Amino acid sequence: MNIALVDDDAEALRLLSSLFEAQLTQMFDAIHRIDTYPSGEAFLQAWAAGAYDLIVLDIYMERRNGIAVAEQIRQTDQSVQIAFCTSSNEFAAETYAVNARDYLQKPITAEKVARLLHKLDAAQIEQSRSVLLPDGAALRCRSVIYAEYSNHRMRFHMKTGKHHTVYASFAEIQKLLMAFGYFFSPMKGVLLNFYEVARLSGDSFLMKDGTTLPIARRICKDAQAQYSEFQFRTLSREVDL
């Protein structure tokens, strides 16, 4: 999940970032990204439509306030979730106009951040995360069982039973998928989704679609360790929920 936090109060921004980091770490096993910006201008200079799942804006910023920033966001991005940090409901009508999802009422606490993320159905957002492939196709990461590289192409085996092939290097696709925290390369040219592993058996992974993926001998211990860590994180999150 990618989140942008925008506030011209440095101390408030640090607090907000630490609270979101703590909550996201509890909720997801996947790697998330939190970017912080000290002003609306700094955010807009770096921002591009589709870059974030959630943008949290402080309303009372100097020069360009949160409402003005949200209005500019909505000119090109109608789907991103926007929430405002505020100490009053003075701008209620304006926030409605930019389709704000929710408020974080100051003083901001861990409970309020958790409530916002649950209200946004953050888990569903994480499950629907996609990456843009070199051919322009959007790949839903959790729908991938495994991917294999051959003849300068990556072939994705999907839970739908279909396949998608794209002209790309293995390193390029590996960089895209490994950032999510649940992909692993058991051998050269192969990436698998830990969520789709049915069983780890010695020197191979048995996938839920029945495919057996061998593990290179030199990384067998690492494969076992990483898969065990994934299982522990996933179980811990389920217990917390």
Side-chain angles (χ1 to χ4, degrees):
M1 187 175 188
N2 296 335
I3 297 177
L5 307 176
V6 188
D7 197 324
D8 60 358
D9 182 328
E11 185 59 35
L13 193 59
R14 280 193 293 271
L15 173 62
L16 196 60
S17 179
S18 66
L19 291 174
F20 270 94
E21 178 66 36
Q23 290 300 318
L24 289 168
T25 299
Q26 289 180 26
M27 294 175 72
F28 305 133
D29 60 284
I31 295 173
H32 48 266
R33 190 179 93 227
I34 300 174
D35 295 333
T36 58
Y37 298 92
S39 68
E41 291 80 7
F43 167 76
L44 290 172
Q45 287 177 3
W47 172 76
Y52 296 103
D53 302 298
L54 170 65
I55 301 171
V56 181
L57 300 163
D58 184 58
I59 287 186
Y60 295 99
M61 292 188 290
E62 295 182 2
R63 296 181 64 184
R64 187 174 302 195
N65 66 30
I67 300 296
V69 175
E71 289 173 345
Q72 189 158 342
I73 291 169
R74 286 294 182 231
Q75 291 178 15
T76 55
D77 194 333
Q78 293 295 320
S79 61
V80 65
Q81 304 276 7
I82 295 176
F84 288 104
C85 293
T86 181
S87 54
S88 74
N89 60 0
E90 178 183 351
F91 291 92
E94 290 88 344
T95 59
Y96 179 81
V98 295
N99 193 26
R101 189 66 176 85
D102 206 353
Y103 290 95
L104 278 174
Q105 191 79 22
K106 294 183 177 181
I108 298 171
T109 63
E111 291 75 16
K112 291 177 182 178
V113 171
R115 189 159 55 244
L116 170 64
L117 290 172
H118 283 293
K119 188 173 182 179
L120 293 175
D121 198 358
Q124 182 60 38
I125 291 175
E126 179 60 32
Q127 289 195 16
S128 65
R129 286 290 295 163
S130 298
V131 293
L132 197 63
L133 296 176
D135 64 355
L139 178 78
R140 181 169 289 190
C141 299
R142 287 286 293 270
S143 295
V144 176
I145 301 173
Y146 68 98
E148 54 186 343
Y149 179 76
S150 179
N151 296 323
H152 308 290
R153 290 174 173 81
M154 285 293 298
R155 188 181 197 199
F156 297 90
H157 298 258
M158 311 300 292
K159 291 169 65 175
T160 59
K162 298 180 179 180
H163 306 93
H164 182 77
T165 302
V166 59
Y167 185 84
S169 69
F170 179 75
E172 185 177 9
I173 301 302
Q174 184 179 33
K175 183 178 179 180
L176 282 175
L177 296 186
M178 294 294 278
F180 287 86
Y182 48 83
F183 282 94
F184 179 75
S185 179
M187 60 184 298
K188 186 176 181 180
V190 175
L191 289 167
L192 62 82
N193 180 353
F194 275 150
Y195 280 107
E196 294 304 310
V197 172
R199 186 173 68 254
L200 171 58
S201 179
D203 58 358
S204 64
F205 285 100
L206 175 64
M207 308 305 290
K208 292 179 180 178
D209 69 344
T211 302
T212 297
L213 298 175
I215 304 170
R217 183 178 302 175
R218 62 184 177 81
I219 63 168
C220 274
K221 289 185 177 179
D222 185 47
Q224 294 171 359
Q226 290 203 36
Y227 185 57
S228 294
E229 182 183 354
F230 164 79
Q231 290 178 306
F232 177 77
R233 292 198 312 263
T234 304
L235 178 61
S236 297
R237 191 179 73 253
E238 291 175 350
V239 169
D240 289 339
L241 293 175

